[in-house]
Short mmCIF file of all heavy atoms in Angstrom, two decimals:
data_model
loop_
_atom_site.label_atom_id
_atom_site.label_comp_id
_atom_site.label_asym_id
_atom_site.label_seq_id
_atom_site.Cartn_x
_atom_site.Cartn_y
_atom_site.Cartn_z
N ASP A 82 -5.83 -5.92 18.64
CA ASP A 82 -4.89 -4.84 18.24
C ASP A 82 -3.51 -5.23 18.60
O ASP A 82 -3.18 -6.28 19.04
CB ASP A 82 -5.15 -3.55 18.68
CG ASP A 82 -5.17 -3.34 20.26
OD1 ASP A 82 -4.42 -4.28 20.92
OD2 ASP A 82 -5.74 -2.34 20.77
N ALA A 83 -2.49 -4.39 18.34
CA ALA A 83 -1.10 -4.73 18.61
C ALA A 83 -0.78 -4.98 20.05
O ALA A 83 0.30 -5.51 20.37
CB ALA A 83 -0.22 -3.59 18.10
N LEU A 84 -1.66 -4.70 20.97
CA LEU A 84 -1.56 -4.90 22.43
C LEU A 84 -2.33 -6.10 22.84
O LEU A 84 -2.52 -6.25 24.08
CB LEU A 84 -1.73 -3.74 23.20
CG LEU A 84 -0.80 -2.56 23.00
CD1 LEU A 84 -1.16 -1.28 23.75
CD2 LEU A 84 0.71 -2.90 23.03
N GLY A 85 -3.00 -6.78 22.08
CA GLY A 85 -3.96 -7.86 22.37
C GLY A 85 -5.26 -7.61 22.78
O GLY A 85 -6.01 -8.42 23.24
N ARG A 86 -5.66 -6.38 22.53
CA ARG A 86 -7.05 -5.96 22.96
C ARG A 86 -8.01 -6.25 21.88
O ARG A 86 -7.66 -6.17 20.62
CB ARG A 86 -7.05 -4.41 23.30
CG ARG A 86 -6.03 -4.09 24.46
CD ARG A 86 -6.10 -2.51 24.69
NE ARG A 86 -5.77 -1.74 23.45
CZ ARG A 86 -5.73 -0.50 23.44
NH1 ARG A 86 -6.05 0.17 24.64
NH2 ARG A 86 -5.36 0.13 22.36
N PRO A 87 -9.26 -6.60 22.26
CA PRO A 87 -10.32 -6.95 21.19
C PRO A 87 -10.45 -5.71 20.23
O PRO A 87 -10.43 -4.50 20.70
CB PRO A 87 -11.51 -7.11 22.01
CG PRO A 87 -11.04 -7.56 23.38
CD PRO A 87 -9.89 -6.84 23.65
N ALA A 88 -10.54 -6.05 18.89
CA ALA A 88 -10.63 -4.97 17.94
C ALA A 88 -11.39 -5.70 16.78
O ALA A 88 -11.71 -6.83 16.62
CB ALA A 88 -9.28 -4.63 17.47
N SER A 89 -11.84 -4.76 15.83
CA SER A 89 -12.43 -5.31 14.50
C SER A 89 -11.53 -4.79 13.39
O SER A 89 -11.01 -3.64 13.45
CB SER A 89 -13.92 -4.99 14.47
OG SER A 89 -13.99 -3.42 14.42
N ALA A 90 -11.62 -5.54 12.28
CA ALA A 90 -10.87 -5.23 11.13
C ALA A 90 -11.62 -5.36 9.92
O ALA A 90 -12.37 -6.44 9.83
CB ALA A 90 -9.44 -5.79 11.15
N ALA A 91 -11.17 -4.67 8.79
CA ALA A 91 -11.84 -5.10 7.54
C ALA A 91 -10.79 -5.59 6.58
O ALA A 91 -9.61 -5.31 6.64
CB ALA A 91 -12.46 -3.81 6.90
N PHE A 92 -11.31 -6.45 5.65
CA PHE A 92 -10.39 -6.99 4.57
C PHE A 92 -11.27 -7.08 3.33
O PHE A 92 -12.42 -7.07 3.45
CB PHE A 92 -9.63 -8.24 4.99
CG PHE A 92 -10.50 -9.46 5.15
CD1 PHE A 92 -10.54 -10.25 4.07
CD2 PHE A 92 -11.11 -9.71 6.20
CE1 PHE A 92 -11.41 -11.52 4.18
CE2 PHE A 92 -11.93 -10.88 6.32
CZ PHE A 92 -12.08 -11.75 5.33
N GLY A 93 -10.65 -7.43 2.26
CA GLY A 93 -11.39 -7.47 1.04
C GLY A 93 -11.15 -8.80 0.32
O GLY A 93 -9.99 -9.40 0.35
N VAL A 94 -12.10 -9.24 -0.65
CA VAL A 94 -11.84 -10.53 -1.44
C VAL A 94 -12.30 -10.06 -2.74
O VAL A 94 -13.26 -9.43 -2.95
CB VAL A 94 -12.72 -11.51 -0.77
CG1 VAL A 94 -12.61 -12.81 -1.68
CG2 VAL A 94 -12.33 -11.90 0.62
N SER A 95 -11.52 -10.59 -3.78
CA SER A 95 -11.86 -10.40 -5.18
C SER A 95 -13.23 -11.00 -5.53
O SER A 95 -13.64 -11.77 -4.85
CB SER A 95 -10.68 -10.95 -6.02
OG SER A 95 -10.53 -12.22 -5.83
N PRO A 96 -13.69 -10.54 -6.66
CA PRO A 96 -15.01 -11.07 -7.06
C PRO A 96 -15.15 -12.43 -7.30
O PRO A 96 -16.18 -13.15 -7.04
CB PRO A 96 -15.28 -10.26 -8.40
CG PRO A 96 -14.45 -9.03 -8.34
CD PRO A 96 -13.22 -9.33 -7.56
N ASP A 97 -13.94 -13.08 -7.70
CA ASP A 97 -14.01 -14.73 -7.94
C ASP A 97 -13.73 -15.35 -6.64
O ASP A 97 -13.58 -16.47 -6.66
CB ASP A 97 -13.06 -14.91 -9.02
CG ASP A 97 -11.63 -14.70 -8.78
OD1 ASP A 97 -11.25 -14.20 -7.65
OD2 ASP A 97 -10.72 -14.88 -9.62
#
Side-chain angles (χ1 to χ4, degrees):
D82 66 17
L84 299 179
R86 303 176 302 177
S89 62
F92 71 98
V94 178
S95 61
D97 63 2

